[in-house]
């Protein structure tokens, strides 16, 4: 081996500023590239904005054409000789004949009413409450010429309609006014065909921040940048693009020029650095000696031998642990578990992905997510949203809000889907999910299917994750109720929210409709420090009863933990149970919609059926459960429904979902609008009342409650009673009734008895006791 000589050589040193020049050139280059990229983003955004202006113009043209066609049809109808002749008579019979003829001439119209030129039938004192505030306002506005006749949108029972008030004249003489209504769906379908281009296009109500009636396109865009009203209507078109990431100065040519100058400067620095002379000061570098080379070669040989040895075989990696999901959380009406035990963020994410998978199969793309005031809410709602986004679903996060506000937001943003992260009236360590997909509240098999998807790993993973945007909707909710509900005289009301999330909204709503509110436990606190937020338990109403008496209030209302149930007490301390409240609501609704279907659950009093019939309605008893009631309402197009638990569902003037806060507003409207000026307790006294028991419960083993009900149905015999078996078994006699059913949330049997007198109640209980013992002699009865 030939060794190197030990000679030395000299090398010129670089100037001290060389590293600084390289760093400066790097920074200038990166800045230049960033500014050039920003200029491209701004230029692309400008082109996209021009495209969205074209989209908005086309959308406005589509909607305006639809409105114009309808208006032309109306003008032709009003010019019809038969219609004109019928209206000249000026009486009700003539107006009804004109309406019948109009329905023949107007394809697709769902309702036509004619009113006199004076509108006396509308303006009569106290008649707005029964006639309908929104409809009356439309007619009076046109009579007062506050604006020209225009097409407007109305909301009824969860569905939207297009309405128009048009004056009717003949030879210069005003004959009256026509009120016409069409379904909104055809207009929505026409709007859906508009290409949203690179952004989002929305059809809105009004020219401001009105309701989103229909929308499609990029979910991350927030319409509002460009709006255009549709002629002859209260509709407007809103368009917008996703907000681009721009930090550079505008306009884009300025950023482009600055960026190019930065790139030129970076190149100049590098060129000058390369051309700069090196220092004449030499640094001596000693070359390696023979011994150095020998040691180096020996080290290299040792390293080569070590590398030749076989490497130890590594143990195969263990698969990641799977997340355990408890099937018992998936109940009949919702999903509910104990935080830290059966429910955590990982489980919530899987549930979100399962919901998103179901939505993807139905080609649904957007969902509203909100949460109640529980301490675990933010983490679980965030994890749920991540799971939904994993499945490609765009999430609208409305933050902390009552469950009915989340349902409202699904209508407000036209998603048809929403998830409320809530433990309802359960203890603080519980939480769960109430789910609506495509307008359907999931229950029973649909909820079990979510579990099966998770257990079988049938979860959709989208190539592109869904978007996320935070939206404030509480103000819209308050305004929407205040526009429709009004207390004709101010009532003083104590509001007990039990430290649930309803406390953030209910006082605002009731004040907005004209009431004086005394808040009680309205500070949102997920620990529920004062009492449990469950108005169905009389113990939880004790503080409310005391507060109503001490403050001299007219009435007290209470809400559960997520605001979808209502409880009521009088100033005399009487609890007005939900089935009696439903009688009052039914009288009110049927005064405007005679013949409408009113649904109630199997736990309600037998007097309810008689009251509905006497008020001119069609009573329908159905199974207990908020999701089951909502499904039946959609099927029957019922105007109203209620449960003994305190859930009320208004299809008339509202959207058909259970809403304790809105129900409280409607109750106060009825009480304040009483034509005789009676106090609330006097009005409640007109509702039939009987002798009843609270819900009585018998604990069983898991699943045994269902098996017992099956045996009881087969063996039980109640002489002279009408039997109902849609949910357990209910036996009705002329003076009382009894019920036994299996709870869908816990392994218990639920019983309730109600009668006209104490003697009748004892007789009904005796009959049930005998039949229960006949099925299981060892059964321990709580009565």
């Amino acid at each position: 081996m030939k060794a190197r000589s030990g000679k030395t050589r000299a090398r010129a040193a670089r100037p001290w500023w060389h590293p600084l020049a390289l760093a400066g050139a790097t920074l200038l280059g990166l800045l230049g590239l960033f500014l050039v990229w920003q200029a491209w983003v701004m230029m692309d955004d400008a082109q996209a904005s021009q495209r969205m202006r074209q989209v908005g113009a086309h959308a406005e043209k589509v909607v305006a054409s639809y409105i114009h066609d309808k208006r032309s049809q109306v003008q032709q109808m009003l010019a019809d000789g038969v219609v004109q002749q019928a209206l000249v008579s000026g009486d009700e019979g003539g107006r009804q004949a004109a309406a019948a003829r109009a329905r023949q001439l107007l394809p697709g119209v769902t309702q036509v009413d004619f009113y006199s030129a004076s509108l006396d039938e509308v303006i009569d004192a106290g008649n707005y409450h029964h006639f309908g505030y929104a409809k009356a306002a439309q007619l009076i506005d046109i009579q007062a010429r506050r604006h020209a006749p225009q097409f407007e949108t109305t909301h009824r029972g969860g569905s939207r309609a297009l309405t128009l008030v048009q004056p009717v004249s003949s030879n210069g003489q005003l004959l009256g006014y026509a009120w016409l209504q069409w379904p909104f769906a055809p207009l929505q379908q026409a709007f859906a065909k508009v290409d949203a281009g690179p952004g989002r296009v929305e059809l809105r109500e009004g020219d401001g921040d009105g309701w989103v009636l229909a929308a499609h396109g990029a979910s991350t865009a927030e319409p509002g940048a460009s709006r255009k009203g549709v002629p002859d209507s209260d509709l407007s078109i809103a368009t917008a693009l996703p907000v681009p990431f721009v930090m550079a100065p505008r306009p884009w040519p300025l950023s482009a020029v600055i960026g190019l100058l930065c790139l030129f400067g970076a190149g100049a620095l590098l060129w000058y650095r390369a051309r700069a002379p090196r220092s004449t000061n030499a640094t001596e570098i000693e070359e390696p000696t023979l011994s150095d080379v020998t040691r180096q070669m020996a080290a290299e040989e040792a390293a080569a031998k070590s590398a030749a040895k076989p490497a130890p075989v590594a143990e195969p990696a263990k698969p990641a642990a799977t997340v355990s999901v408890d099937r018992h959380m998936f109940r009949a009406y919702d999903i509910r578990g104990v935080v830290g035990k059966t429910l955590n963020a990982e489980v919530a994410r899987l549930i979100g992905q399962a919901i998103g998978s179901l939505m993807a199969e139905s080609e649904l793309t957007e969902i509203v997510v909100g949460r109640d005031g529980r301490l675990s809410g933010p983490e679980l709602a965030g994890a749920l949203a991540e799971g939904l986004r994993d499945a490609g679903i765009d999430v609208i996060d409305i933050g902390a809000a009552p469950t009915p506000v989340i349902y409202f937001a699904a209508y407000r943003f036209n998603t048809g889907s929403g998830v409320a992260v809530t433990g309802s009236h359960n203890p603080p360590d519980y939480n769960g999910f109430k789910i609506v997909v495509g307008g359907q509240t999931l229950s029973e098999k649909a909820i079990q299917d979510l579990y099966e998807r998770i257990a079988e790993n049938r979860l959709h993973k989208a190539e592109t994750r869904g978007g996320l945007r935070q939206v404030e909707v509480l103000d819209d909710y308050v305004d929407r109720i205040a526009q429709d509900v009004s207390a004709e005289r101010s009532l003083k009301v104590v509001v007990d929210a039990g430290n649930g999330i309803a406390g953030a909204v209910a006082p605002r709503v009731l004040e907005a409709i004209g009431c004086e509110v005394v808040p009680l436990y309205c500070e949102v606190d997920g620990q529920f420090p004062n009492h449990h937020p469950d108005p169905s338990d009389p113990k939880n109403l004790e503080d409310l009863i005391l507060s109503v008496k001490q403050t001299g209030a007219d009435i007290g209302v209470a809400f559960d933990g997520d605001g979808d149930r209502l409880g009521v007490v009088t100033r005399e301390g009487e609890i007005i149970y939900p089935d009696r409240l439903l009688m009052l609501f039914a009288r009110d609704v049927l005064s405007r919609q005679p013949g409408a279907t009113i649904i109630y659950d199997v736990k309600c009093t037998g007097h309810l059926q008689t009251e509905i019939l006497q008020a001119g309605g069609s009573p329908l008893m159905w199974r207990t459960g908020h999701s089951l009631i909502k499904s039946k309402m959609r099927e029957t197009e019922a105007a109203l429904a209620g449960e003994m638990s305190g859930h009320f569902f208004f299809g008339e003037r509202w959207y058909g979902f259970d809403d304790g806060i809105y129900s409280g507003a409607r109750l106060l409207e009825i009480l304040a609008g009483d034509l005789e000026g009676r106090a609330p307790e006097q009005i409640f006294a007109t509702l039939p009342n009987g002798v009843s028991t609270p819900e009585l419960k018998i604990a069983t083993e898991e699943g045994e409650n269902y098996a017992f009900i099956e045996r009881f149905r087969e063996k039980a015999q109640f002489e002279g009673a009408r039997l109902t078996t849609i949910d357990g078994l209910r036996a009705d006699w002329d003076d009382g009734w009894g019920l036994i059913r299996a709870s869908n949330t816990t392994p218990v049997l639920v019983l309730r008895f109600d009668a006209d007198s104490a003697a009748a109640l004892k007789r009904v209980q005796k009959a049930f006791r005998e039949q229960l013992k006949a099925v299981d002699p060892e059964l321990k009865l709580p009565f």
Side-chain angles (χ1 to χ4, degrees):
M1 176 175 60
K2 186 183 290 185
R4 297 181 184 179
S5 68
K7 294 180 181 180
T8 61
R9 63 182 180 182
R11 181 166 58 89
R14 291 172 178 170
W16 62 269
W17 52 267
H18 265 218
L20 294 178
L22 179 61
T26 301
L27 290 175
L28 275 175
L30 291 174
L31 178 60
L33 290 173
F34 174 76
L35 288 172
V36 170
W37 172 70
Q38 286 278 275
W40 177 85
V41 169
M42 286 186 277
M43 183 176 64
D44 182 69
D45 183 57
Q47 293 174 348
S49 296
Q50 176 61 29
R51 169 77 176 112
M52 288 309 298
R53 282 191 286 272
Q54 296 172 356
V55 168
H58 177 59
E60 186 271 335
K61 183 177 180 181
V62 168
V63 176
S65 176
Y66 183 91
I67 294 296
H68 180 267
D69 290 345
K70 293 297 180 189
R71 182 174 286 280
S72 297
Q73 293 171 7
V74 171
Q75 295 294 350
Q76 293 174 12
M77 178 272 293
L78 295 178
D80 180 75
V82 175
V83 173
Q84 291 270 327
Q85 185 176 0
L87 292 175
V88 166
S89 66
D91 57 18
E92 182 62 26
R95 289 192 287 270
Q96 291 181 0
R101 174 62 174 168
R103 284 190 287 271
Q104 296 174 353
L105 297 174
L106 296 175
V109 73
T110 55
Q111 186 173 344
V112 179
D113 295 320
F114 284 94
Y115 297 96
S116 66
S118 64
L119 292 184
D120 288 341
E121 60 270 55
V122 180
I123 305 176
D124 285 346
N127 201 35
Y128 294 169
H129 177 63
H130 301 284
F131 185 84
Y133 287 97
K135 186 176 180 180
Q138 284 182 275
L139 289 159
I140 294 171
D141 283 350
I142 297 301
Q143 184 193 47
R145 298 183 179 180
R146 292 172 184 158
H147 58 74
Q150 64 177 13
F151 283 82
E152 300 182 18
T153 53
T154 59
H155 308 261
R156 178 178 174 182
S159 62
R160 297 185 177 92
L162 199 63
T163 61
L164 172 69
V165 174
Q166 183 67 46
V168 186
S169 300
S170 177
N171 298 323
Q173 179 186 358
L174 181 64
L175 301 180
Y177 296 90
W179 187 87
L180 308 103
Q181 176 178 284
W182 294 264
F184 184 74
L187 175 57
Q188 186 174 4
Q189 292 165 3
F191 181 79
K193 296 178 182 178
V194 175
D195 182 8
R200 183 179 178 88
V201 58
E202 292 184 347
L203 176 62
R204 286 179 172 253
E205 179 183 71
D207 56 2
D209 293 326
W211 281 72
V212 177
L213 305 175
H216 56 279
S219 64
T220 52
E222 297 185 3
S226 176
R227 291 185 184 166
K228 187 173 184 180
V230 177
D232 296 330
S233 75
D234 72 339
L235 303 174
S236 61
I237 304 296
T239 59
L241 288 163
V243 179
F245 175 76
V246 174
M247 297 181 64
R250 294 177 183 270
W252 69 264
L254 177 61
S255 291
V257 169
I258 297 174
L260 291 174
L261 288 174
C262 288
L263 291 175
F264 177 79
L269 274 176
L270 292 175
W271 177 84
Y272 182 74
R273 179 179 180 274
R275 298 281 303 221
R278 296 179 180 268
S279 171
T280 56
N281 295 327
T283 302
E284 297 294 326
I285 307 296
E286 185 177 356
E287 294 187 356
T289 63
L290 178 61
S291 59
D292 293 334
V293 173
T294 302
R295 284 194 296 271
Q296 181 180 353
M297 293 184 65
E300 290 176 353
E301 286 185 17
K305 290 179 181 180
S306 175
K309 294 181 181 180
V313 179
E315 295 183 6
K318 296 180 180 180
T322 57
V323 179
S324 175
V325 179
D326 186 353
R327 183 164 201 158
H328 293 104
M329 290 198 310
F330 295 75
R331 309 187 183 194
Y333 319 132
D334 51 32
I335 301 172
R336 205 175 300 170
V338 180
V339 177
K341 295 182 179 179
T342 58
L343 181 58
N344 56 35
E346 287 299 319
V347 172
R349 184 166 187 152
L350 288 174
I351 291 172
Q353 193 172 357
I355 297 169
S357 301
L358 174 62
M359 292 180 63
E361 291 176 1
S362 303
E363 299 183 349
L364 300 170
T365 61
E366 198 169 32
I367 192 169
V368 172
V369 171
R371 55 182 169 81
D372 66 12
R374 292 167 189 268
L375 303 182
S376 59
E379 180 184 19
L380 295 180
L384 177 86
E386 289 301 304
L388 287 161
R389 297 176 66 196
D390 286 343
I393 304 302
D394 297 323
V395 175
I396 300 175
D397 178 13
I398 67 169
T403 293
V405 176
I406 297 165
Y407 296 154
F408 167 84
Y411 284 96
R412 172 71 173 80
F413 299 110
N414 203 41
T415 67
S417 302
V419 179
V421 181
T422 174
S424 188
H425 59 280
N426 288 95
D429 56 342
Y430 276 75
N431 217 325
F433 310 91
K434 294 180 179 179
I435 308 161
V436 179
V437 173
Q440 296 280 358
T441 303
L442 300 194
S443 63
E444 299 183 313
K445 186 179 183 302
I447 288 182
Q448 292 302 316
D449 178 65
L450 294 179
Y451 172 79
E452 298 294 341
R453 286 177 183 272
I454 297 172
E456 299 169 10
N457 198 27
R458 290 188 289 111
L459 301 175
H460 176 63
K461 183 75 172 179
E463 294 182 3
T464 303
R465 294 193 77 213
L468 173 67
R469 56 180 173 139
Q470 280 82 31
V471 178
E472 168 61 48
V473 76
L474 292 181
D475 290 344
D476 290 343
Y477 175 78
V478 175
D479 292 344
R480 175 67 180 87
I481 296 177
Q483 290 170 6
D484 180 65
V485 181
S486 176
E488 295 186 9
R489 60 185 175 94
S490 180
L491 294 176
K492 187 174 183 180
V493 53
V494 179
V495 175
D496 183 358
N499 298 112
I501 191 64
V505 184
R508 292 178 55 192
V509 169
L510 301 187
E511 286 176 348
I513 69 170
C515 291
E516 178 187 351
V517 174
V518 179
L520 176 67
Y521 308 143
C522 286
E523 305 81 9
V524 179
D525 186 336
Q527 296 287 0
F528 310 129
N530 293 291
H531 66 72
H532 203 52
D534 180 5
S536 66
D537 186 345
K539 291 182 180 179
N540 298 324
L541 298 176
E542 292 174 353
D543 289 356
L544 177 61
I545 292 172
L546 180 62
S547 180
V548 170
K549 291 179 178 179
Q550 288 179 338
T551 61
D554 296 294
I555 195 171
V557 295
F559 304 99
D560 70 336
D562 63 334
D564 61 4
R565 294 194 292 142
L566 172 70
V568 176
V569 303
T570 69
R571 56 184 167 192
E572 296 175 347
E574 180 187 6
I575 299 173
I576 308 300
Y577 286 101
D579 50 1
R580 296 182 69 209
L581 287 176
L582 188 57
M583 296 177 194
L584 192 61
F585 289 142
R587 289 178 183 176
D588 176 62
V589 170
L590 291 169
S591 70
R592 291 180 295 275
Q593 292 193 20
T597 298
I598 311 295
I599 300 175
Y600 56 97
D601 77 325
V602 295
K603 294 190 290 184
C604 288
T605 175
H607 293 295
L608 187 52
Q609 180 184 31
T610 304
E611 281 292 305
I612 294 171
L613 289 170
Q614 289 178 349
S618 176
L620 176 61
M621 184 188 297
W622 195 239
R623 300 170 60 192
T624 294
H626 66 92
S627 55
L628 305 178
I629 294 288
K630 278 181 277 194
S631 177
K632 197 65 175 176
M633 281 191 75
R634 290 172 64 92
E635 176 189 334
T636 60
E637 298 184 348
L640 174 69
E643 290 186 285
M644 192 61 194
S645 59
H647 289 272
F648 296 99
F649 314 75
F650 283 87
E652 188 249 7
R653 295 167 52 189
W654 200 237
Y655 303 96
F657 54 75
D658 41 333
D659 188 338
I661 299 170
Y662 178 78
S663 301
R666 288 287 291 262
L667 173 65
L668 294 171
E669 179 187 60
I670 294 169
L671 299 176
D674 183 66
L675 297 178
E676 300 177 23
R678 292 172 295 181
E681 56 270 20
Q682 293 175 309
I683 298 173
F684 291 135
T686 67
L687 307 173
N689 199 5
V691 182
S692 62
T693 68
E695 286 191 354
L696 307 173
K697 298 179 180 180
I698 303 174
T700 68
E701 296 295 327
E702 188 70 43
E704 175 58 27
N705 52 344
Y706 296 104
F708 182 90
I709 291 296
E710 290 301 320
R711 296 196 303 272
F712 189 76
R713 282 174 176 165
E714 293 175 0
K715 297 183 178 181
Q717 295 181 353
F718 293 98
E719 184 177 352
R722 302 182 305 277
L723 302 184
T724 304
T725 58
I726 55 175
D727 188 359
L729 187 146
R730 171 168 167 155
D732 279 84
W733 290 269
D734 291 339
D735 57 353
W737 59 274
L739 167 73
I740 180 170
R741 58 181 293 272
S743 170
N744 284 316
T745 56
T746 53
V748 299
L749 295 169
V750 179
L751 301 99
R752 186 166 187 257
F753 304 99
D754 181 270
D756 293 343
S757 64
L761 184 70
K762 288 182 179 180
R763 192 187 73 252
V764 172
Q765 288 180 314
K766 179 182 178 183
F768 265 80
R769 187 181 300 109
E770 292 173 352
Q771 299 301 315
L772 289 167
K773 288 293 186 179
V775 175
D776 183 357
E778 303 300 321
L779 195 65
K780 295 182 179 179
L781 301 178
F783 64 95

